[in-house]
Amino acid sequence: MKTQINIIYLGMLVLLLTSCYKDKTTDVSAEYGQVTIENIQEKYKVVAFADEINLKPEIKNAEGKELSYLWGKFMLVTADPDEYKLDTLGMEKNLDLKINFKPGTYKLVLIVKDLKTEIETINSSELVVESMSSRGWYVLKSQNGKSDLDIFNEHGKGENVYSENAGEKLDGEAVQIGFNDRANWFDPEKNELNRMIRVVYLLTDKDIARMRMSDAKVLDKFKDIFYGPYADPKPQAWTINGYGDFLVTNNKAHGVFIYGNSGKFGYEYRTEYDYSLAPHILPPNNPQNNPIVYDNLKGTFYGLHYFSTSYLTPFTDEGNDTTKTYYPHKNLNADNLFMDYKFGGYKDDGDGIALLKTRDAVKRLVIARLELYAAGYFGQNKNPVYALDTIPQGMEIENAKHYAVNKRLNLLYYSNANKLSAFNLSSQAEEVIHNFTTGEEITHIHHRVHDEPDAEEYSFDKLVVATYDGTNYKVYLFDMLAGKPKPNPIIYEGEGKVGHVYYISPALHRHKMHY
């Protein structure tokens, strides 16, 4: 049976090890006779309920000394104060540690005490405990009107992870995967509120499931995530910023302020008239900014404000930059086909790209460029549209089905059957950049970039393309050169048709998650 040591001394130890003080064996001069601890790594990364670590420290300057040993761990980030207590793991020099505790980031501590002098030497390591579902490429797929989740990572392939845990597949066709690192959930069995849970949202066109990443437990579904009445289930898009979650379902918007609530969405956003949102949300690159949506009825852009979850936030006609020309953001007489963003842009907050199709007889394609800064607290909800560029007629992009924005370059990707093309937003030239095997229809495109200077193992820059041959899918992860896919991509395969691909890692958080 494990012991939890909860005394003042160890409380101070926890404060010491979680502060800016960086300890690897306590560095007191050998002239005082203190032992040193070696052969312990600075960081261990393991899988919960699967791995075991065999720890065999080397104790230097131990000759003639009677020593005691104490191994323990505590969680670094948790909403449960009990998990900050030092949990005793062993009291022998060597430790065979079975990872039979939940995923998270822990401090692994070894305290060696000289029983004669009572001098203690402390060694601490970072212990990152992952689950099969805490890192990897999430693939939301559909087959015969039902959806499920596959996960690919260095541990292999987790197939049908959702149904294996829920006991059934999700109704509907796959739409989107979303991520929240600070979700709230009221546990009806324990009658208590759980905070700061890492979850994924799995959206189909008929349902939503919120799945806890630590154990893949399904917490709730569409009918359970609203405070009040909800429309017929028709989830279309989901996003997040630093303060709230936002959902478009049945062409209406709902929001939830993440602090001080049970994680349920409120009533639909309202306007002075009826509205019908396009099934897209333009996510914020900066967590202080708000998402942008588009009303197809009025041809008007709106913001989704986390403090005003009752009304869509209109933009004023003037823009933030007096040196620039701004264009109409309302009454555009066009439908919204696609929205996403690229890095950079005004105030380095991101540059929104919206692809519109006019409702007139000509049905021209128009690229709207938006300042994401405008929808934020500092942008004061001023006009975000700084360009409206009409695409020349007769181009292949007119018949495209799926789209993606290059996050770094001025390129818009799109698909026609098995052809992947790129449209240059500056020159308005288009080019076929990859032909997949005949019979492989492209079902999903996204350029995913994740920069983590402190966690290089979680960093990548990939063009993600999913194809479907009528029975099975392939997910291609391309490295790129000048925005074009390079040969020899990583390929993942499975059954069904892919609707969305997302990458999850322990380093992912709401302040840096739209990539």
Side-chain angles (χ1 to χ4, degrees), residues 180-184 193 195-196 227 240-245 255-264 287-288 306-307 309 510-511:
N180 188 342
D181 65 330
R182 294 187 179 184
N184 296 335
L193 183 64
R195 298 185 182 276
M196 297 177 65
Y227 275 121
I240 197 171
N241 69 2
Y243 302 97
D245 294 20
V256 54
F257 185 55
I258 65 170
Y259 300 105
N261 64 70
S262 60
K264 293 181 179 291
Q288 301 296 328
Y306 51 85
F307 281 142
T309 55
R510 70 172 49 238
H511 286 189

Side-chain angles (χ1 to χ4, degrees), residues 3-63:
T3 304
Q4 276 204 333
I5 300 177
N6 187 22
I7 58 177
I8 294 176
Y9 167 76
L10 287 174
M12 294 175 66
L13 170 65
V14 169
L15 289 174
L16 176 67
L17 294 176
T18 54
S19 70
C20 293
Y21 173 77
K22 251 182 128 174
D23 171 68
K24 283 318 298 165
T25 61
T26 306
D27 231 356
V28 177
S29 173
E31 66 182 278
Y32 294 101
Q34 183 173 351
V35 301
T36 58
I37 303 171
E38 298 180 2
N39 199 35
I40 300 294
Q41 298 177 23
E42 292 187 7
K43 182 177 181 179
Y44 295 91
K45 188 167 66 176
V46 292
V47 178
F49 307 105
D51 287 347
E52 179 176 331
I53 309 175
N54 304 115
L55 299 159
K56 297 180 179 181
E58 294 181 8
I59 309 300
K60 302 295 185 180
N61 198 27
E63 295 79 6

Side-chain angles (χ1 to χ4, degrees), residues 286-436:
N286 185 321
Q288 301 296 328
N289 293 340
N290 295 314
I292 294 175
V293 291
Y294 183 87
D295 175 22
N296 272 338
L297 283 183
K298 293 289 185 178
T300 299
F301 290 101
Y302 286 94
L304 296 180
H305 201 288
Y306 51 85
F307 281 142
S308 176
T309 55
S310 297
Y311 294 91
L312 298 179
T313 304
F315 294 103
T316 62
D317 290 335
E318 69 275 9
N320 276 291
D321 191 338
T322 58
T323 67
K324 294 171 66 172
T325 299
Y326 288 85
Y327 293 81
H329 61 87
K330 58 186 178 182
N331 303 320
L332 293 176
N333 193 33
D335 293 321
N336 188 307
L337 303 181
F338 167 79
M339 288 196 296
D340 202 358
Y341 82 94
K342 63 189 294 290
F343 297 149
Y346 188 69
K347 299 276 187 185
D348 291 326
D349 280 357
D351 188 12
I353 308 293
L355 180 62
L356 309 177
K357 187 174 187 177
T358 63
R359 297 195 192 107
D360 55 21
V362 181
K363 298 191 180 302
R364 303 287 292 272
L365 293 182
V366 178
I367 299 286
R369 306 288 290 265
L370 296 89
E371 296 173 353
L372 297 187
Y373 173 85
Y377 175 80
F378 298 103
Q380 301 178 335
N381 298 308
K382 293 188 176 182
N383 186 355
V385 182
Y386 70 90
L388 285 174
D389 299 322
T390 301
I391 295 176
Q393 288 183 283
M395 304 187 78
E396 286 294 318
I397 192 173
E398 292 177 356
N399 304 311
K401 192 170 183 180
H402 299 280
Y403 310 91
V405 171
N406 187 294
K407 299 300 185 183
R408 303 187 189 277
L409 303 177
N410 228 17
L411 296 175
L412 176 65
Y413 300 112
Y414 62 90
S415 69
N416 286 305
N418 67 322
K419 293 192 300 184
L420 178 66
S421 301
F423 178 83
N424 190 303
L425 295 170
S426 299
S427 68
Q428 294 198 332
E430 63 180 356
E431 177 186 4
V432 177
I433 58 175
H434 193 84
N435 283 294
F436 292 90

Side-chain angles (χ1 to χ4, degrees), residues 408-470:
R408 303 187 189 277
L409 303 177
N410 228 17
L411 296 175
L412 176 65
Y413 300 112
Y414 62 90
S415 69
N416 286 305
N418 67 322
K419 293 192 300 184
L420 178 66
S421 301
F423 178 83
N424 190 303
L425 295 170
S426 299
S427 68
Q428 294 198 332
E430 63 180 356
E431 177 186 4
V432 177
I433 58 175
H434 193 84
N435 283 294
F436 292 90
T437 302
T438 301
E440 286 189 56
E441 179 188 358
I442 297 172
T443 64
H444 173 75
I445 319 168
H446 204 105
H447 179 205
R448 295 214 170 273
V449 181
H450 196 185
D451 292 325
E452 284 294 337
D454 297 328
E456 292 185 2
E457 67 268 34
Y458 302 132
S459 298
F460 59 85
D461 185 334
K462 300 286 187 183
L463 180 61
V464 182
V465 183
T467 65
Y468 179 60
D469 66 4

Side-chain angles (χ1 to χ4, degrees), residues 1 66 74 122 137 205 223 249 268 342 358 470 500 513:
M1 179 177 178
E66 186 179 358
F74 61 90
I122 304 169
W137 292 92
D205 61 3
K223 64 183 179 61
T249 179
E268 69 182 46
K342 63 189 294 290
T358 63
H500 199 232
M513 60 165 295

Side-chain angles (χ1 to χ4, degrees), residues 65-82:
K65 294 182 174 64
E66 186 179 358
L67 304 174
S68 68
Y69 303 90
L70 173 64
W71 290 93
K73 68 169 176 64
F74 61 90
M75 187 171 277
L76 285 177
V77 179
T78 177
D80 184 353
D82 285 339

